[in-house]
Amino acid sequence: MPRLQELSTLSYLEEALSNRHVPPKTSTWEREMSLGHQCEFGTYRLRIRTVEGSDDEVVIHEDLSLISTRVWDCSVLVAKWLENIATRYQETPDLASALDLPLTSSTRDRPLNVLELGAGTGLLSVCLAKMGAAVLSTEYGVSVKYLQQNIDLNKIADSQSTRQMKWTPKSGVVSCRELDWYNASETLETLFAEGHQSVFDMIVVTDCSLTRRDSQGFMEMIHKYGTKNYTKVILGLCHEREGTPYCVENVPKEFRDVVKISEEAWHPDFKSQRHMIFTFKA
């Protein structure tokens, strides 16, 4: 996003943090539950169950220069919710079954194709790849550089840069790409390499409703890159963001099968009164 808009949005988030009620006396996984600048940023670590059945540590290096280079609570919440439902009945994650994705004979022979919009530090993209998905992780401007660094750090990067190439989905691999929500020229078909089915089984978006315009932007990308009546969308929202009311009002108007996920389905160690998770079809 333009630097002016970045600073404006950053000021909005800082004000939201400083105006929050007194932090809880008990410890919490939510780092944003601190007052003002008391949040700790630097290196973030999160354990996630992998498709091999091990518990791997995801490591994210943060930077304070941009809001997109910090790990925000919503991405952690969604990652652990997905892990929780994907391992409910088996030791290794099965995202397709957990999300009731309508896979056919042609889609079962390839990886689960996932597009993340506004990926930020890449935490959720890394977790999804660890759980076996092929992930196209997108950001804008200089944020893409930081995103790529974290993907490289976790050793799940595509061996070939895809920033200017067509995407070849690979299970357990994250490919980074720049995507401007307000000037996206590529179509769904031109994103994929020849010989690969041009479809995303899932699109994920977390904590991107900073402003009404941001909400309109990622909703337009869902329309553009989602396959109607097929692609499952995972949307994580924070109550404190300016654009969240717009999403809550308009997502049911523009998309099908909208479901608000019950907190009972969330990971038992990762609960929050500040967030919501929705699923729906593009």
Side-chain angles (χ1 to χ4, degrees):
M1 61 178 69
R3 185 61 180 167
L4 182 60
Q5 184 181 351
E6 176 79 26
L7 290 172
S8 174
T9 305
L10 181 58
S11 298
Y12 170 78
L13 290 176
E14 290 174 341
E15 181 180 357
L17 286 171
S18 63
N19 289 337
R20 196 189 305 286
H21 296 300
V22 176
K25 294 181 180 179
T26 56
S27 61
T28 174
W29 66 271
E30 295 177 272
R31 293 190 301 165
E32 295 169 52
M33 290 296 287
S34 298
L35 278 173
H37 298 283
Q38 294 177 13
C39 299
E40 291 184 4
F41 293 99
T43 300
Y44 187 86
R45 301 175 186 274
L46 183 72
R47 300 202 72 82
I48 201 79
R49 181 66 56 87
T50 72
V51 72
E52 291 82 16
S54 62
D55 289 322
D56 279 10
E57 184 176 65
V58 175
V59 180
I60 300 295
H61 284 176
E62 299 175 297
D63 187 285
L64 298 180
S65 62
L66 301 168
I67 61 171
S68 58
T69 54
R70 312 180 193 189
V71 173
W72 295 94
D73 294 338
C74 193
S75 64
V76 179
L77 177 72
V78 171
K80 295 303 287 186
W81 165 66
L82 286 169
E83 177 197 49
N84 190 50
I85 63 172
T87 57
R88 183 175 301 165
Y89 303 112
Q90 60 276 322
E91 289 295 318
T92 57
D94 184 350
L95 289 168
S97 296
L99 292 167
D100 196 25
L101 298 180
L103 301 182
T104 64
S105 57
S106 62
T107 57
R108 289 193 184 96
D109 296 331
R110 61 164 175 75
L112 189 71
N113 294 341
V114 179
L115 170 66
E116 183 173 12
L117 301 172
T121 62
L123 173 79
L124 182 52
S125 288
V126 173
C127 290
L128 285 165
K130 293 282 188 181
M131 289 189 276
V135 186
L136 184 59
S137 188
T138 63
E139 254 298 344
Y140 177 69
V142 68
S143 299
V144 181
K145 179 185 73 172
Y146 291 99
L147 172 61
Q148 184 68 63
Q149 289 174 354
N150 279 314
I151 303 307
D152 292 340
L153 176 66
N154 286 277
K155 304 185 187 311
I156 53 171
D158 197 332
S159 57
Q160 294 181 314
S161 172
T162 58
R163 294 184 65 175
Q164 302 298 329
M165 296 173 58
K166 292 180 180 293
W167 184 46
T168 300
K170 301 173 185 176
S171 179
V173 172
V174 179
S175 302
C176 298
R177 197 180 194 91
E178 183 173 36
L179 180 63
D180 183 352
W181 297 350
Y182 312 106
N183 187 31
S185 58
E186 287 194 280
T187 65
L188 181 61
E189 290 70 24
T190 61
L191 276 177
F192 285 79
E194 185 177 353
H196 292 270
Q197 189 177 12
S198 300
V199 62
F200 288 109
D201 303 296
M202 189 163 70
I203 295 176
V204 293
V205 194
T206 62
D207 209 351
C208 287
S209 60
L210 303 181
T211 66
R212 179 188 177 108
R213 183 170 183 262
D214 290 328
S215 296
Q216 292 171 331
F218 74 68
M219 288 170 65
E220 181 60 33
M221 292 300 95
I222 293 171
H223 283 300
K224 185 178 182 70
Y225 296 115
T227 299
K228 190 173 182 180
N229 298 328
Y230 174 79
T231 301
K232 176 68 73 74
V233 181
I234 311 298
L235 174 61
L237 295 173
C238 180
H239 288 289
E240 297 152 6
R241 309 305 185 228
E242 181 183 294
T244 293
Y246 178 87
C247 288
V248 173
E249 177 183 356
N250 288 280
V251 163
K253 296 178 181 178
E254 297 192 24
F255 302 100
R256 295 185 57 222
D257 301 338
V258 179
V259 175
K260 183 179 180 181
I261 302 301
S262 167
E263 292 185 24
E264 294 179 357
W266 297 4
H267 192 287
D269 297 330
F270 291 82
K271 304 285 189 178
S272 173
Q273 296 181 346
R274 301 171 41 244
H275 297 93
M276 300 174 283
I277 303 174
F278 291 90
T279 67
F280 53 91
K281 287 185 179 179

